[in-house]
Amino acid sequence: QVSLVESGGGKVQAGGSLRLSCAASGLTFRLYDMGWFRQTPGKEREFVTVIKWSGGSTYYTDSVKGRFTISRDNAKNTVYLQMNNLKPEDTAAYYCAAHLAGPKSAGGLQYPNEYPYWGQGTQVTVSS
């Protein structure tokens, strides 16, 4: 049974930093592309970033480029999201998701329906 568990969310002032973690189990982690999405009430889930199974490729949505960094530790079955210079508009529930490496791994993997496995989410609140 696949399980993804996010942690590290919380409340921070604008300009602050948080580091999210997503611990995976029940899958061969090194074979999965790992993504982070976020969602606010009433809005669709939004792509934030992805790191490919090989670890060599990462993609970011424009609004977080230069502020957020995704990384993975295959030995710990964990993907991280370092978020710096946080802004109030970053406030959302953040979700990690897993996609088994395959033909679609060459693409951006920016759509939620490309990921079959999801965590329960962790809330990030940025105050001005």
Side-chain angles (χ1 to χ4, degrees):
Q1 182 177 354
V2 175
S3 175
L4 302 177
V5 180
E6 301 97 336
S7 61
K11 297 180 180 179
V12 64
Q13 289 189 331
S17 299
L18 284 173
R19 187 195 195 201
L20 306 184
S21 300
C22 172
S25 61
L27 50 74
T28 305
F29 183 75
R30 60 182 174 83
L31 297 181
Y32 280 76
D33 307 306
M34 298 299 297
W36 285 96
F37 289 73
R38 63 188 181 186
Q39 190 171 23
T40 55
K43 293 188 176 181
E44 294 187 353
R45 198 160 291 190
E46 172 193 26
F47 171 79
V48 177
T49 181
V50 63
I51 185 167
K52 301 303 179 67
W53 67 278
S54 64
S57 296
T58 58
Y59 297 92
Y60 298 87
T61 193
D62 286 346
S63 63
V64 307
K65 286 180 181 177
R67 300 188 298 122
F68 290 13
T69 303
I70 190 172
S71 61
R72 65 189 297 158
D73 185 338
N74 288 345
K76 295 183 178 180
N77 286 3
T78 301
V79 61
Y80 304 97
L81 181 62
Q82 178 66 44
M83 305 186 295
N84 297 329
N85 191 20
L86 282 160
K87 303 177 179 180
E89 51 263 43
D90 296 319
T91 294
Y94 283 72
Y95 299 86
C96 70
H99 167 267
L100 180 62
K104 289 188 176 181
S105 295
L109 292 174
Q110 297 183 37
Y111 300 99
N113 62 9
E114 296 178 293
Y115 296 80
Y117 303 113
W118 291 85
Q120 83 290 347
T122 186
Q123 179 67 35
V124 171
T125 302
V126 185
S127 60
S128 58

